[in-house]
């Protein structure tokens, strides 16, 4: 027996309420209940990282978490990145540096990268490779993904430096 | 893949969780990081009628040295172990193992206690706790008991845990001066389970081995404690001959089976080589190096 229960999850800033069966996986809640199909299912066995989303800012394999476990939490999916139609620096960098081919792994790659950059705004290549070691790509050979993350880091640092520089110029 | 239906409970206190387990018995499973249990549910290798999620219970995510013990809470995650400066400086066998568990995304959720309770013979934490001679605190609604790590594992995926119990704390004797450890793992690729891994923990006293702990991963029906190798080291000075002897005894303690990761001879030899290297590294560290 399994009774549906109400959950409220803040997905990309919007509060979403739904009745779900406890066995519903977070990835299915996102893709099927909310129709946010940017989160992909690759292996469905916790190996590939294609389904990675951020839960409270932390990368999680959404095929290996129950939707009910996300009740009351903040979830970020790839759909949040191009807010207002402008590409997030990580998206711009993946595009610019050819960090994707088929694009299947890309949402997970980008979300894991964003969490890395939050923690380490200036990562070494080794940091990037290490952080992405749970995300599998079958196309690119990874070189351009690492390049893209490095380039996004530089862009984001430059962008963050602008207000600081403006403030410094004013004082 | 969808798990079979179950009822989901997310208690806010340990008492509530233990009450639920007491009531539900065999029909319930504890959910910690979910990084072993959820894949099993999806494959329908397990289909409990109830899940008791302990993630909402406060204060279970701890690592602290108190009263001569290092205490690890049930929600202390692989990621936190990987980043702990306490483990890096005083419990190197744990610090070495943490970043070699699964991949970074799995490490964000998976817990040490969950791994130990899961008791995969290829899991790494059980071996580390065998080398550290840890105690496991098992709590039920009506009683609390302490079981030695070496008495905890009873076969593949089986342990002393009763369905009504929660592994509520892992206790490790606090590291004294001149302690060193190492964890060496052979894996086919990053994120894979071990082909073979060896845990070493050394306590030196006046230039001699006070006590030695050696654990073996993925070379038997459960994580193995290499007791004869440990005994051969006790009181000895760590010269090349002693190290070689201990490594040979550890290799004898291994009970590997052949599979796509390697033959019996190969795996046994890796145990020997890793025990030698692990002892040397642990000794270096006990003397304040690397
Ligand atoms: C792709 C992949 C690769 C992996 N690689 C490795 C690896 O290299 N090395 C390794 O060691 N592990 C590896 N794992 C397993 C991972 O470390 C899990 O996190 C761990 O085995 C289980 O911990 P958990 O907290 O996720 O437990 P869960 O999945 O929540 O639970 C596992 C089992 O333990 C029980 N349980 C959990 N906590 C408690 C408790 N406090 N008291 C009583 N019972 C409890 C549950 O009921 C369940 O039966 C891998 C997993 C995957 C999916
Ligand atoms: S689909 Fe979740 S890890 Fe591959
Ligand atoms: S771009 Fe195709 S899998 Fe990565």
């Amino acid at each position: 027996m399994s009774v549906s229960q109400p959950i409220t999850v803040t997905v990309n800033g919007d509060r979403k309420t739904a009745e779900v069966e406890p066995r519903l996986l977070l990835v299915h809640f996102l893709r099927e209940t909310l129709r946010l199909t940017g989160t992909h299912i690759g292996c469905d066995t916790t190996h590939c990282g294609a389904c990675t989303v951020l839960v409270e800012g932390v990368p999680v394999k959404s095929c290996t978490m129950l939707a009910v476990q996300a009740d009351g939490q903040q979830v970020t999916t790839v759909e949040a990145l191009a807010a207002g139609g402008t590409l997030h620096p990580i998206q711009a960098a993946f595009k610019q540096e050819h960090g994707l081919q088929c694009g299947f792994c890309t949402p997970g790659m980008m979300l894991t990268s964003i969490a890395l950059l939050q923690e380490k705004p200036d990562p070494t290549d080794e940091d990037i490779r290490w952080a992405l070691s749970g995300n599998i790509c079958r196309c690119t050979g990874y070189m351009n993904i690492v390049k893209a993350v490095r380039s996004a880091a530089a862009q984001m640092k430059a962008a963050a430096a602008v207000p600081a520089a403006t403030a410094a110029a004013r004082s | 893949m969808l798990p079979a239906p179950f009822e989901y409970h997310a208690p806010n206190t340990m008492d509530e969780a233990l009450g639920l387990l007491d009531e539900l018995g065999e029909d319930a499973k504890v959910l910690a990081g979910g990084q072993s249990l959820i894949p099993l549910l999806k494959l329908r290798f397990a289909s409990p009628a109830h899940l008791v999620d302990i993630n909402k219970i406060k204060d279970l995510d701890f690592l602290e040295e108190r009263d001569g013990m290092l205490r690890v809470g049930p929600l202390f995650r692989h990621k936190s172990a990987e980043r702990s400066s306490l483990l890096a400086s005083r419990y190197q066998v744990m610090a070495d193992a943490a970043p070699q568990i699964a991949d970074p995304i799995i490490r964000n959720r998976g817990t040490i206690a969950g791994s130990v309770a899961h008791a995969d013979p290829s899991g790494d934490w059980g071996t580390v706790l065998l080398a550290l001679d840890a105690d496991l605190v098992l709590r039920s609604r009506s009683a609390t008991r302490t079981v030695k790590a070496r008495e905890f594992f009873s076969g593949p995926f089986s342990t002393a845990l009763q369905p009504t119990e929660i592994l509520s704390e892992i206790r490790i004797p606090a590291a004294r001066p001149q302690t060193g450890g190492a964890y060496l793992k052979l894996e086919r690729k990053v994120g894979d389970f071990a082909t073979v891994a060896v845990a070493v923990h050394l306590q030196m006293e006046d230039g001699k081995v006070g006590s030695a702990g050696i654990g073996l991963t993925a070379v038997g029906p459960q994580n193995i404690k290499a007791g004869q190798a440990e005994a051969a080291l006790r009181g000895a000075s760590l010269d090349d001959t002693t190290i070689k002897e201990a490594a040979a005894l550890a290799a004898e303690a291994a009970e590997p089976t052949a599979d796509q990761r390697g033959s019996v001879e190969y795996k046994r030899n890796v145990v020997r080589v890793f025990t030698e290297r692990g002892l040397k590294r642990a000794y270096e560290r006990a003397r304040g190096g690397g």
Side-chain angles (χ1 to χ4, degrees):
Chain A
M1 189 191 64
S2 151
V3 194
S4 287
Q5 57 189 75
I7 57 168
T8 301
V9 186
T10 303
V11 180
N12 303 333
D14 294 336
R15 276 168 62 90
K16 303 282 186 190
T17 300
E19 291 273 333
V20 302
E21 262 194 281
R23 63 174 171 159
L24 186 73
L25 298 162
L26 179 59
V27 71
H28 296 303
F29 174 70
L30 295 169
R31 289 179 54 85
E32 285 149 34
T33 313
L34 303 183
R35 300 312 249 169
L36 293 171
T37 53
T39 304
H40 295 159
I41 301 175
C43 63
D44 211 3
T45 58
T46 326
H47 285 87
C48 74
C51 64
T52 305
V53 300
L54 305 182
V55 177
E56 298 289 321
V58 176
V60 166
K61 294 181 179 179
S62 63
C63 75
T64 313
M65 179 170 173
L66 305 170
V68 286
Q69 292 188 282
D71 186 25
Q73 304 205 299
Q74 304 261 357
V75 174
T76 308
T77 71
V78 67
E79 282 88 353
L81 298 188
T86 313
L87 293 186
H88 184 283
I90 195 86
Q91 291 174 307
F94 267 71
K95 183 177 170 209
Q96 182 67 32
E97 303 293 343
H98 300 284
L100 67 152
Q101 287 177 24
C102 78
F104 200 85
C105 69
T106 316
M109 288 286 179
M110 294 195 301
L111 289 163
T112 307
S113 302
I114 285 174
L116 167 71
L117 296 178
Q118 298 261 323
E119 198 184 339
K120 283 195 181 146
D122 202 4
T124 62
D125 280 9
E126 185 56 29
D127 293 334
I128 298 170
R129 288 170 194 278
W130 186 245
L132 290 176
S133 59
N135 294 82
I136 291 174
C137 177
R138 286 279 112 117
C139 303
T140 63
Y142 302 98
M143 303 299 281
N144 289 343
I145 294 178
V146 176
K147 250 200 223 163
V149 179
R150 206 191 306 137
S151 149
Q155 297 288 328
M156 287 163 76
K157 237 175 73 180
V162 172
T166 317
R170 282 206 197 107
S171 63
Chain B
M1 289 185 292
L2 204 59
F6 55 80
E7 249 185 85
Y8 173 78
H9 310 266
N12 290 310
T13 66
M14 194 64 157
D15 285 345
E16 232 182 295
L18 294 170
L20 280 162
L21 292 180
D22 197 57
E23 186 188 313
L24 300 166
E26 301 256 339
D27 290 338
K29 276 258 167 214
V30 172
L31 177 63
Q35 302 302 292
S36 291
L37 183 54
I38 294 178
L40 287 181
L41 297 177
K42 289 169 70 178
L43 293 165
R44 307 225 177 170
F45 288 159
S47 38
H50 299 265
L51 282 194
V52 178
D53 184 350
I54 59 173
N55 287 279
K56 294 249 155 55
I57 306 176
K58 285 202 181 58
D59 304 327
L60 297 188
D61 179 4
F62 60 85
L63 175 82
E64 57 179 3
E65 279 184 308
R66 188 162 45 82
D67 305 332
M69 294 282 171
L70 174 73
R71 292 154 199 268
V72 185
L75 287 183
F76 189 72
R77 301 187 199 265
H78 307 319
K79 168 191 67 177
S80 311
E82 184 179 0
R83 296 175 190 194
S84 162
S85 51
L86 172 65
L87 297 186
S89 63
R90 288 166 59 76
Y91 303 89
Q92 294 112 346
V93 62
M94 294 178 79
D96 275 6
Q100 301 190 69
I101 310 279
D103 65 48
I105 312 176
I106 293 174
R107 290 199 293 276
N108 283 338
R109 284 196 75 75
T111 65
I112 297 184
S115 305
V116 176
H118 187 55
D120 186 331
S122 301
D124 298 295
W125 285 118
T127 301
V128 170
L129 296 192
L130 286 170
L132 287 165
D133 200 23
D135 285 327
L136 308 176
V137 181
L138 313 184
R139 217 176 127 186
S140 71
R141 202 179 71 135
S142 50
T144 299
R145 61 190 179 117
T146 303
V147 176
K148 284 259 157 227
R150 62 173 176 271
E151 281 148 18
F152 181 74
F153 300 104
S154 49
F157 307 100
S158 46
T159 71
L161 262 172
Q162 296 297 313
T164 51
E165 287 176 323
I166 288 180
L167 170 50
S168 63
E169 190 171 290
I170 297 165
R171 291 185 186 156
I172 293 158
R176 288 182 286 159
Q178 301 185 52
T179 304
Y183 192 71
L184 287 86
K185 175 171 172 177
L186 178 70
E187 50 187 5
R188 294 175 303 181
K189 62 175 214 10
V190 168
D192 194 17
F193 279 98
T195 298
V196 173
V198 174
V200 175
H201 182 69
L202 272 184
Q203 164 71 55
M204 301 300 294
E205 266 162 34
D206 306 325
K208 298 235 157 75
V209 177
S211 66
I214 299 178
L216 314 178
T217 305
V219 287
Q222 64 198 57
N223 292 158
I224 290 172
K225 189 166 171 69
Q228 294 200 354
E230 292 176 349
L233 287 164
R234 211 167 298 135
S237 32
L238 263 191
D239 51 35
D240 277 356
T241 320
T242 318
I243 288 178
K244 280 202 156 59
E245 267 172 30
L249 287 168
E252 264 174 49
E255 309 159 31
T257 47
D259 59 15
Q260 74 277 24
R261 286 181 169 85
S263 65
V264 170
E265 296 74 15
Y266 173 67
K267 291 181 182 182
R268 210 185 280 285
N269 199 43
V270 176
V271 170
R272 186 182 60 74
V273 173
F274 276 11
T275 307
E276 270 190 45
R277 288 185 197 163
L279 282 168
K280 286 181 184 160
R281 194 171 299 171
Y283 185 39
E284 270 303 308
R285 287 169 165 177
R287 290 189 301 177

